[in-house]
Amino acid sequence: MAAQETSQSATFRHAFGNVLSFTVLLLIGVMAFSIRLFSVIKYESVIHEFDPYFNYRVTQFLTKSGVYDFWNWFDDRTWYPLGRVIGGTVYPGLTLTAGTLWRILNSINIPLSVETVCVFTAPVFSAFASWATYLLTKEIKGAGAGLTAAALLAMVPSYISRSVAGSYDNEAVAIFALIFTFYLYIKTLNTGSLFYATLNAIAYFYMVCSWGGYTFIINLIPMHVLLCIVTGRYSPRLYIAYAPLVVLGTLLAALVPVVGFNAVMTSEHFASFLVFIIIHVVALVYYIKGILTPQMFKVAVTLVVSVGMVLCVAVLAVLIALVASSPTKGWSGRSLSLLDPTYASKYIPIIASVSEHQPPTWPSYFMDINVLAFLVPAGIIACFLPLSDASSFAVLYIVTSVYFSGVMVRLMLVLAPAACIMSGIALSEAFDVLTRSIKFHLVGTTQNPQDNARDATKVNQNDVKSEKSEDTVKERPSRKSKKKDKENIEKPSLVSRVEKRLLVLPLETSVMAVFLLVLLGAFYVVHCVWAAAEAYSAPSIVLTSRSHDGLHVFDDFREAYAWLSHNTEVDDKVSKSKRSDSFALKTPTDVSGISFIASTHYPLILFEVLNLAVLGLVQRNKLIGLLAAAILVQVASWWDYGYQTTAMANRTVIVDNNTWNNTHIATVGTAMSSPEKAAWDIFNSLDVKYVLVVFGGLVGYPSDDINKFLWMVRIGGGVFPHIKEPDYLRDGQYRIDSQATPTMLNSLMYKLSYFRFVETDGRGYDRVRNTEIGKKHFKLTHFEEVFTTHHWMVRIYKLKSPKNRIRGKTKRSKSKSGTSTSSKRSTRKKNPWQ
Amino acid sequence: MAAPKFAFLLLNLISILPLLVSSFSVDRPTDRRILVLLDDLSLKSSHSLFFSSLKSRGFDLDFKLADDPAIAVKRYGQYMYDGLILLSPSTERFGGSLDVEGVLDFVDSGHDLIVAADANASDLIRNIAAECGVDFDEDPSAVVVDHSSYAVSETEGDHTLIAADDFIQSDVILGNKKIEAPVLFKGIGHSLNPANSMVLKALSASPSSYSTNPSSKLSSQPPSLYGTAISLVSVVQARNAARIMISGSLDMFSNRLFRAGVQKSGSLNKYEKSGNEQFITELSKWIFHERGHLKAVNLRHNKVGESEEPSMYRINDDLEFSVEIFEWSGSSWVPHVSKDVQVQFYMMSPYVLKTLSTNGKGLYHTSFKVPDVYGVFQFKVEYQKLGYTSLSLSKQIPVRPFKHNEYERFITTAFPYYGASFSMMAGFFIFSGVYLYNK
């Protein structure tokens, strides 16, 4: 009778738990979505940063022209004059996702603009990602851990940085795809179902479509498989989880144009094939072991091993020879710099120049994952009690992602889900133990666990987190199924029982610990909300700064792009030195204490400010992009502005943020590093009409082109050896003051940045470098300033057309008519050129 | 709002147009006014042959004294003349608003200029010449002296009247008819910067000439200018096709030297009439664009077999290209016939360079295959020939790669692979059937 009652109430509680979990998940989704809306509320619904502008433009094209035209799109607006085959060089996942969303919404008569859909894609997918985290963690450690992990992931700053509304980048959907693929892998591993294995391959396909980070999956899963085999955990379930993934996954991956044959040709994928072979060998061995007697088996083993060794050596030799014959040893530069962090800075300046490819600093860990950093070790320990296939995967995931995040800041994003899962497990386990202790004390040892639980519901007063701990507690009694399958979201019962007996903490300690943990969680929430609201929501296209006299908004980028789109199509001959009236020689706002909260690289910027002297400073925004109007009106700027310029000003650019052609970027870098005349020749040969530079010296915006200039020199020098970095450094120091080298002071970048700068305050004080500039009064011979934005952050120059006449050698004699104008003319013409 | 504004503007333009005279334009090549600035109004009669030849060719000459305070070439931002002749070597300062900058701006906006200097030329004239790339001898009293190719005259002079016959070798500049008689020249010499490709010696001095002050004794130092480095008359064609003629002699335009007979010393040929008239007239025809001015129109390209101009080509397309080139003859546009016009299919460097064939009626055409490279290409015609205005046309055209469905679908050499795939599929199907149902 009593037993029946308990079972009834257990069913009831079970159902109640499900409903509760569902509600909590829903709320987590809502939170994940809404925490990312700060950018829309504080600024406006606008696409952020650089790459998202490109994605947005591609999406526009997709929605206008359809999938096939998108696939075959040859874009003649970027990378002039090379053009870019967009369809074959982008990961189409994000674009297709947003395009499909837009189409669906339109077909059900919700007429949203493409831009709106793009802006909100990332928040929507972060909700999906938190649900996927729930599923994954549930597979690993049960529903309680799952809910905690989902809640943590919904607001982890690292992920927010890449998925605020408007941050329309690959990572936005890729993180969801990553977690979901892992979930399906673990699900297959736990169930051994071929159905999930197929789903897994499809999820992997989606990931391949979305982000180059798919190589992480295709290396991590083989590593885990290998780990399982080595630790003697081989099972048919493992085989089912892995073999279909490799076969189907590789076939599907090869369908993505940008991957294509890379899926079988590059070293990044070799590990998976190697493990594929190994798992077959192991499967065969297990099979043979099953049908042979032990003695026969031993004989067979010696035979096979000796023959196999020979074969292996031969195959290995061929492989090594093949790989060694390719110049990069089969690895792409980016992947190589993962394994050897110094690789890129040594050999590929164009990769090293991107700030998100730099190793992170310690503060950035605290900024990006906050308290999770402290909970992770506890989570790892929890994963070992006991170690299952699934939890060993979680451990492997965290370990590898910690390593990768240490190599590249950008991969912090991959670490974040792992950290959330681990912390979720840790928190959930901790609450589990603590609340049990409390119950134990309150109810007394005599009562059985079910009663414990029931009373605990009343007793337990802890707010947010307690709900989760509660329902883990509630569900424990109805446990018992060795494999964790179905919705029986289980703590390993064996351990919990052991713990139950061993780990009964004193009441006060437990209460205190619960309180402290809740406090910790609360701090995490506070930090996350702050990060979402302040640090990561600024669309770097609009900058703000706070000083004692209020908030300043810097909208210079859009001002410049608008100028370009309105003014550059005009026939060139007409616009004869059309000097804009909005030159505004405004005294700069007091910059002391201005900290720019720009883009998603908040900590990096702080870091940059600190390291200006050392020249750490590379933000993503770097090179020169050149644009063109209908009739060959190109604009040059460093590559990071390329995407925005094409998208916002609709002009052809010479280089943009995509780094597929090093030489082309190097050409622009060389032009910027050269003296005026040489630069003019280079630009003219590229049909450039306008040159755009970003200059922060007036308002103290640190990620301007002068700070990126050394990278231009390096990238340029990598291809054109006459550009030498030491020429730009005085005793190894990068400086623009009077100590700077003549090469530096005569470079185009210096001249374009500081032209007329001295007119602002009379002495040319650069607020980024905190120094007076070296060369203050100079004239431009081959370029003319056509537009400078309000805060001088973007300056646009036009290439002067070649001179109509060539002067003779005779000095202009100062006759009576030699007025000041004529003397000016003669000095300007001192340096005649063809 | 915009429409009425535009209409108003148009109205203005229409009303102004007949009053305006602008530079030589492809649309309205006739109807030209020239301002002639003189030191002295007596030049009007002493150089009347030169002026009347211009008038007879339809030019409208406006004579003014160089220091006339009413001189203005520009009114309301529009030039009132499209040619300027400066026969005022000694003027230190123009009257009115005109100054060196004014003259140079006049040229830079596409108008033509003839400058005549003379011994003791003023700084003003020297500066104008220097800005155009011509450096007169800095010694103000120096003139060109030649003791071996002077013009023979009754009295043994100081050999400053030179008989020069070293003309520029260009039919375009000096006309088809060869100038037989030497040109009489009396004035100062100038030098050109050899690196300057825009200025040309129309008339060079002989190797034995030098530039010095004839009244002073020869010093031991060699003269600063001597030999063929001395240019007597130079022409400049600026990048905007404005043409400039600079002469070191005012006298060579005069009726006296136009009519004078000439015998070069050491030569037995005696000519009844000097080459001056022919030389100056032909040169002025070139200066005022009556010869050597080209225009290119109707740049077209299309795929072979089509007539529409595509917005984009695919790699390996066959295309046809054509352009029409005409030359201004002084009264009408006539077809320009030449065998050396080339077109480039250009992306950072020319991928295709083809000589165009012509039908003799101005149409130049060719056809070629688009290279196997995608990108944004340009059709470029760069035609730069001595004496002609330079033609520099470019038209941008993107070239795309194959679409995914434009590749060859079934390749013969791949049949074994197709066979392998399908036999594998069939084999697997049969195997599954046998395995599942054969127990």
Side-chain angles (χ1 to χ4, degrees):
Chain A
M1 162 79 189
Q4 200 188 0
E5 196 183 57
T6 21
S7 80
Q8 251 178 7
S9 69
T11 329
F12 172 73
R13 240 179 286 127
H14 189 86
F16 178 70
N18 275 348
V19 170
L20 192 64
S21 302
F22 184 76
T23 318
V24 170
L25 272 179
L26 207 64
L27 289 176
I28 287 175
V30 170
M31 178 181 69
F33 182 81
S34 48
I35 199 172
R36 286 166 169 81
L37 299 186
F38 278 109
S39 58
V40 174
I41 294 162
K42 288 181 68 178
Y43 297 89
E44 57 193 293
S45 175
V46 65
I47 307 273
H48 291 194
E49 288 247 297
F50 306 102
D51 292 30
Y53 270 96
F54 172 73
N55 296 327
Y56 168 50
R57 191 165 151 257
V58 174
T59 313
Q60 272 183 319
F61 185 86
L62 171 72
T63 50
K64 228 175 278 164
S65 311
V67 176
Y68 278 101
D69 280 348
F70 164 60
W71 184 359
N72 291 314
W73 185 21
F74 173 70
D75 184 9
D76 54 350
R77 276 296 159 104
T78 49
W79 287 93
Y80 180 87
L82 303 170
R84 181 179 171 194
V85 186
I86 301 279
T89 54
V90 291
Y91 288 98
L94 175 76
T95 318
L96 291 175
T97 308
T100 316
L101 275 180
W102 180 82
R103 193 139 293 177
I104 292 171
L105 288 173
N106 270 273
S107 67
I108 55 172
N109 292 327
I110 304 180
L112 290 180
S113 71
V114 178
E115 188 181 7
T116 317
V117 174
C118 292
V119 166
F120 291 103
T121 299
V124 167
F125 269 77
S126 18
F128 292 169
S130 51
W131 293 335
T133 310
Y134 165 75
L135 292 171
L136 174 59
T137 321
K138 194 176 106 179
E139 282 303 312
I140 296 172
K141 272 288 180 195
L147 286 172
T148 322
L152 291 175
L153 185 101
M155 52 187 173
V156 64
S158 171
Y159 186 29
I160 287 179
S161 76
R162 285 321 188 94
S163 60
V164 291
S167 178
Y168 178 57
D169 209 348
N170 287 340
E171 289 90 335
V173 298
I175 292 302
F176 158 72
L178 179 86
I179 300 171
F180 196 63
T181 311
F182 285 155
Y183 158 67
L184 285 169
Y185 170 69
I186 297 296
K187 185 80 184 170
T188 324
L189 194 57
N190 284 345
T191 60
S193 151
L194 208 51
F195 171 68
Y196 283 113
T198 317
L199 284 187
N200 188 20
I202 292 170
Y204 172 68
F205 174 56
Y206 184 63
M207 176 70 188
V208 178
C209 282
S210 307
W211 196 32
Y214 75 91
T215 47
F216 182 64
I217 297 184
I218 203 62
N219 282 297
L220 183 64
I221 290 182
M223 273 168 78
H224 179 243
V225 171
L226 204 61
L227 184 79
C228 286
I229 292 173
V230 169
T231 52
R233 289 171 164 273
Y234 172 79
S235 67
R237 285 179 287 112
L238 186 69
Y239 182 85
I240 290 169
Y242 185 65
L245 174 67
V246 173
V247 177
L248 282 177
T250 306
L251 281 175
L252 289 170
L255 293 182
V256 182
V258 64
V259 177
F261 281 107
N262 284 349
V264 286
M265 306 268 282
T266 57
S267 303
E268 285 100 329
H269 304 82
F270 281 0
S272 64
F273 298 131
L274 194 68
V275 173
F276 186 67
I277 295 169
I278 292 174
I279 199 170
H280 276 92
V281 171
V282 171
L284 191 70
V285 168
Y286 273 82
Y287 176 69
I288 292 172
K289 205 174 176 180
I291 56 171
L292 289 184
T293 59
Q295 286 93 338
M296 282 289 282
F297 183 68
K298 241 174 216 168
V299 175
V301 165
T302 30
L303 191 76
V304 167
V305 163
S306 45
V307 176
M309 283 293 266
V310 178
L311 279 177
C312 273
V313 168
V315 169
L316 214 65
V318 171
L319 264 185
I320 289 172
L322 276 179
V323 170
S325 65
S326 84
T328 56
K329 310 279 178 270
W331 290 76
S332 67
R334 250 180 219 148
S335 312
L336 269 179
S337 65
L338 276 184
L339 297 180
D340 173 9
T342 57
Y343 177 85
S345 49
K346 266 191 278 184
Y347 304 111
I348 318 173
I350 200 154
I351 290 179
S353 76
V354 179
S355 69
E356 52 178 31
H357 293 164
Q358 302 288 332
T361 51
W362 285 114
S364 64
Y365 276 97
F366 190 75
M367 174 72 195
D368 273 359
I369 56 175
N370 203 245
V371 300
L372 305 187
F374 309 115
L375 292 171
V376 164
I380 296 178
I381 293 171
C383 278
F384 277 98
L385 303 170
L387 189 69
S388 64
D389 288 350
S391 63
S392 69
F393 179 78
V395 173
L396 200 64
Y397 179 22
I398 185 83
V399 169
T400 47
S401 61
V402 165
Y403 171 74
F404 288 137
S405 71
V407 176
M408 259 191 210
V409 194
R410 187 219 261 270
L411 293 177
M412 195 77 92
L413 194 57
V414 176
L415 169 68
C420 290
I421 292 166
M422 282 305 175
S423 312
I425 292 170
L427 276 180
S428 150
E429 292 286 311
F431 277 117
D432 195 17
V433 171
L434 295 172
T435 48
R436 194 180 338 102
S437 304
I438 294 170
K439 264 179 284 174
F440 180 82
H441 285 293
L442 291 183
V443 184
T445 40
T446 49
Q447 276 180 310
N448 63 25
Q450 284 94 332
D451 295 337
N452 265 358
R454 208 181 300 150
D455 297 344
T457 17
K458 286 177 226 139
V459 174
N460 220 329
Q461 72 290 65
N462 293 331
D463 39 342
V464 200
K465 298 282 166 359
S466 68
E467 286 171 16
K468 284 152 227 161
S469 57
E470 208 174 280
D471 72 285
T472 27
V473 172
K474 261 181 290 165
E475 279 159 26
R476 184 171 315 103
S478 59
R479 100 304 306 273
K480 226 17 88 48
S481 60
K482 260 288 199 57
K483 321 168 218 155
K484 31 207 80 164
D485 64 339
K486 313 291 163 58
E487 56 286 338
N488 235 349
I489 7 101
E490 221 26 31
K491 292 287 138 78
S493 55
L494 204 137
V495 183
S496 57
R497 198 174 275 170
V498 172
E499 278 176 338
K500 219 172 283 169
R501 245 172 272 137
L502 297 180
L503 289 175
V504 176
L505 300 169
L507 180 64
E508 299 75 26
T509 324
S510 305
V511 172
M512 204 57 191
V514 166
F515 175 70
L516 287 177
L517 279 180
V518 169
L519 203 64
L520 192 69
F523 276 127
Y524 175 71
V525 172
V526 168
H527 173 79
C528 290
V529 172
W530 172 81
E534 299 293 329
Y536 290 143
S537 282
S540 65
I541 198 149
V542 186
L543 306 168
T544 54
S545 83
R546 271 207 193 100
S547 63
H548 54 83
D549 54 342
L551 185 78
H552 296 277
V553 177
F554 300 85
D555 202 358
D556 286 32
F557 288 107
R558 288 197 291 188
E559 187 186 346
Y561 295 137
W563 185 89
L564 277 176
S565 71
H566 285 115
N567 293 277
T568 53
E569 266 151 340
V570 186
D571 185 12
D572 289 320
K573 280 168 202 151
V574 179
S575 60
K576 209 173 156 190
S577 99
K578 193 197 277 170
R579 210 156 260 212
S580 167
D581 295 345
S582 58
F583 261 5
L585 281 182
K586 211 185 146 218
T587 350
T589 47
D590 187 0
V591 197
S592 58
I594 279 195
S595 70
F596 272 93
I597 303 171
S599 77
T600 59
H601 310 286
Y602 172 63
L604 259 180
I605 289 184
L606 291 182
F607 169 74
E608 280 179 5
V609 175
L610 293 175
N611 286 286
L612 278 180
V614 206
L615 218 230
L617 19 117
V618 187
Q619 249 235 323
R620 296 213 56 216
N621 339 340
K622 278 136 253 139
L623 292 131
I624 312 180
L626 317 178
L627 334 172
I631 333 156
L632 280 189
V633 187
Q634 270 83 6
V635 177
S637 71
W638 199 224
W639 52 312
D640 265 19
Y641 302 102
Y643 280 162
Q644 288 182 351
T645 317
T646 19
M648 299 193 64
N650 194 22
R651 295 291 174 273
T652 307
V653 294
I654 297 293
V655 289
D656 64 25
N657 314 41
N658 186 286
T659 50
W660 67 269
N661 189 321
N662 191 13
T663 316
H664 214 48
I665 295 180
T667 309
V668 177
T670 306
M672 284 303 191
S673 322
S674 304
E676 245 187 282
K677 169 79 178 91
W680 189 90
D681 286 341
I682 294 173
F683 281 146
N684 193 44
S685 73
L686 291 171
D687 300 319
V688 170
K689 293 286 183 297
Y690 293 92
V691 180
L692 179 152
V693 294
V694 174
F695 172 63
L698 186 73
V699 287
Y701 170 60
S703 51
D704 66 352
D705 281 343
I706 288 283
N707 274 354
K708 294 164 199 158
F709 181 52
L710 265 202
W711 289 108
M712 301 187 203
V713 172
R714 277 177 205 154
I715 293 170
V719 178
F720 303 100
H722 68 276
I723 302 287
K724 294 185 198 70
E725 190 179 338
D727 292 346
Y728 297 84
L729 303 175
R730 173 74 71 197
D731 305 326
Q733 292 242 324
Y734 179 69
R735 50 201 312 171
I736 45 103
D737 55 9
S738 48
Q739 295 295 305
T741 59
T743 324
M744 176 71 209
L745 295 181
N746 285 319
S747 66
L748 183 68
M749 180 47 81
Y750 180 90
K751 287 193 164 181
L752 296 191
S753 290
Y754 293 115
F755 179 60
R756 296 196 315 117
F757 182 53
V758 72
E759 294 169 24
T760 52
D761 59 355
R763 57 192 189 117
Y765 188 80
D766 185 319
R767 286 162 192 267
V768 174
R769 269 65 58 176
N770 284 323
T771 174
E772 267 183 45
I773 59 173
K775 197 167 155 190
K776 296 176 182 173
H777 303 277
F778 55 86
K779 292 212 166 73
L780 295 174
T781 327
H782 306 295
F783 293 85
E784 82 182 306
E785 182 182 12
V786 288
F787 187 65
T788 295
T789 54
H790 188 68
H791 301 99
W792 285 49
M793 281 170 57
V794 182
R795 313 192 68 185
I796 301 171
Y797 291 84
K798 189 178 173 195
L799 269 76
K800 281 189 191 164
S801 45
K803 226 168 252 170
N804 196 30
R805 295 164 284 107
I806 301 173
R807 257 202 109 237
K809 281 181 288 194
T810 331
K811 287 263 175 345
R812 189 83 173 275
S813 50
K814 297 275 179 293
S815 59
K816 287 144 280 172
S817 63
T819 55
S820 61
T821 52
S822 71
S823 69
K824 203 201 266 168
R825 179 179 271 266
S826 64
T827 45
R828 197 192 323 147
K829 299 235 171 99
K830 211 162 272 173
N831 201 357
W833 47 281
Q834 329 289 326
Chain B
M1 164 76 203
K5 205 172 181 182
F6 179 69
F8 175 70
L9 234 131
L10 203 71
L11 210 74
N12 264 350
L13 273 177
I14 290 168
S15 59
I16 289 172
L17 269 176
L19 307 176
L20 289 181
V21 183
S22 64
S23 60
F24 180 87
S25 83
V26 170
D27 311 319
R28 288 176 298 104
T30 51
D31 182 28
R32 317 187 62 201
R33 294 187 65 184
I34 294 173
L35 176 66
V36 184
L37 294 184
L38 307 168
D39 267 349
D40 183 348
L41 281 179
S42 66
L43 287 174
K44 216 169 150 181
S45 54
S46 66
H47 291 58
S48 60
L49 280 177
F50 170 57
F51 296 133
S52 59
S53 97
L54 288 177
K55 278 180 189 156
S56 68
R57 303 208 309 266
F59 291 100
D60 186 1
L61 303 186
D62 189 358
F63 294 95
K64 287 224 166 88
L65 272 180
D67 50 3
D68 185 341
I71 294 177
V73 290
K74 209 174 183 181
R75 185 182 291 159
Y76 306 128
Q78 297 287 342
Y79 284 103
M80 295 181 292
Y81 303 97
D82 44 19
L84 182 60
I85 299 180
L86 299 178
L87 300 183
S88 54
S90 58
T91 307
E92 287 292 352
R93 195 166 190 174
F94 294 123
S97 58
L98 195 62
D99 58 0
V100 181
E101 316 302 331
V103 172
L104 295 171
D105 286 344
F106 183 75
V107 170
D108 286 345
S109 48
H111 302 88
D112 307 318
L113 173 70
I114 293 180
V115 179
D118 210 342
N120 300 315
S122 67
D123 281 345
L124 178 73
I125 297 297
R126 284 166 184 272
N127 283 341
I128 291 174
E131 291 291 348
C132 299
V134 167
D135 301 316
F136 280 114
D137 192 344
E138 289 184 14
D139 182 354
S141 53
V143 294
V144 184
V145 179
D146 194 330
H147 294 302
S148 68
S149 56
Y150 54 92
V152 178
S153 61
E154 292 84 43
T155 55
E156 181 71 8
D158 49 9
H159 298 170
T160 54
L161 183 65
I162 300 168
D165 54 3
D166 189 1
F167 303 112
I168 187 168
Q169 298 301 312
S170 167
D171 285 355
V172 186
I173 297 177
L174 291 183
N176 295 327
K177 208 173 140 214
K178 193 171 180 301
I179 302 175
E180 301 287 346
V183 168
L184 292 169
F185 179 93
K186 185 181 173 69
I188 58 174
H190 56 258
S191 64
L192 310 175
N193 181 358
N196 186 339
S197 58
M198 293 194 289
V199 54
L200 303 164
K201 278 181 202 169
L203 183 64
S204 309
S206 75
S208 57
S209 62
Y210 61 98
S211 174
T212 186
N213 184 350
S215 55
S216 71
K217 284 198 170 152
L218 266 187
S219 59
S220 55
Q221 280 184 337
S224 57
L225 281 177
Y226 54 86
T228 49
I230 298 181
S231 172
L232 303 174
V233 178
S234 295
V235 291
V236 180
Q237 178 167 284
R239 270 185 238 274
N240 61 0
R243 288 172 175 172
I244 303 163
M245 168 184 169
I246 294 170
S247 158
S249 164
L250 177 61
D251 289 343
M252 70 185 297
F253 296 89
S254 68
N255 296 352
R256 190 170 62 82
L257 293 188
F258 268 37
R259 290 198 185 109
V262 61
Q263 181 184 10
K264 196 174 167 184
S265 70
S267 159
L268 294 176
N269 290 341
K270 189 167 163 48
Y271 298 94
E272 282 302 310
K273 195 162 174 275
S274 72
N276 283 35
E277 179 161 17
Q278 192 189 353
F279 177 73
I280 299 286
T281 309
E282 292 298 324
L283 205 53
S284 69
K285 280 185 184 168
W286 183 81
I287 292 291
F288 292 122
H289 293 274
E290 286 165 65
R291 199 164 45 226
H293 192 106
L294 301 178
K295 75 165 179 182
V297 289
N298 290 338
L299 194 156
R300 283 176 215 274
H301 56 87
N302 54 268
K303 267 190 208 170
V304 170
E306 292 175 18
S307 55
E308 285 287 294
E309 189 168 297
S311 62
M312 188 180 263
Y313 285 107
R314 195 192 67 190
I315 54 173
N316 293 332
D317 271 351
D318 288 302
L319 65 82
E320 285 170 341
F321 173 85
S322 71
V323 63
E324 289 174 45
I325 301 178
F326 295 99
E327 183 182 352
W328 179 245
S329 69
S331 54
S332 64
W333 290 102
V334 295
H336 174 71
V337 182
S338 166
K339 284 190 174 136
D340 51 7
V341 185
Q342 292 181 317
V343 64
Q344 303 172 29
F345 200 55
Y346 182 95
M347 181 181 75
M348 294 201 283
S349 60
Y351 279 77
V352 173
L353 179 63
K354 284 275 252 188
T355 305
L356 298 171
S357 46
T358 175
N359 65 354
K361 290 176 188 153
L363 180 74
Y364 290 80
H365 59 91
T366 189
S367 62
F368 57 87
K369 197 187 221 15
V370 175
D372 195 4
V373 178
Y374 61 81
V376 182
F377 281 82
Q378 290 171 54
F379 291 107
K380 266 194 175 189
V381 176
E382 297 280 348
Y383 189 62
Q384 274 141 1
K385 225 176 145 188
L386 181 65
Y388 288 106
T389 48
S390 59
L391 285 181
S392 180
L393 310 173
S394 66
K395 192 165 198 178
Q396 191 169 318
I397 184 85
V399 173
R400 64 169 173 81
F402 285 117
K403 284 186 178 167
H404 72 277
N405 54 2
E406 285 175 337
Y407 291 97
E408 213 175 337
R409 188 49 72 88
F410 294 106
I411 312 166
T412 329
T413 41
F415 277 130
Y417 298 98
Y418 302 146
S421 314
F422 284 108
S423 64
M424 172 78 187
M425 286 186 235
F428 182 74
F429 186 74
I430 294 165
F431 172 79
S432 312
V434 169
Y435 186 83
L436 288 175
Y437 299 110
N438 194 24
K439 247 194 185 159

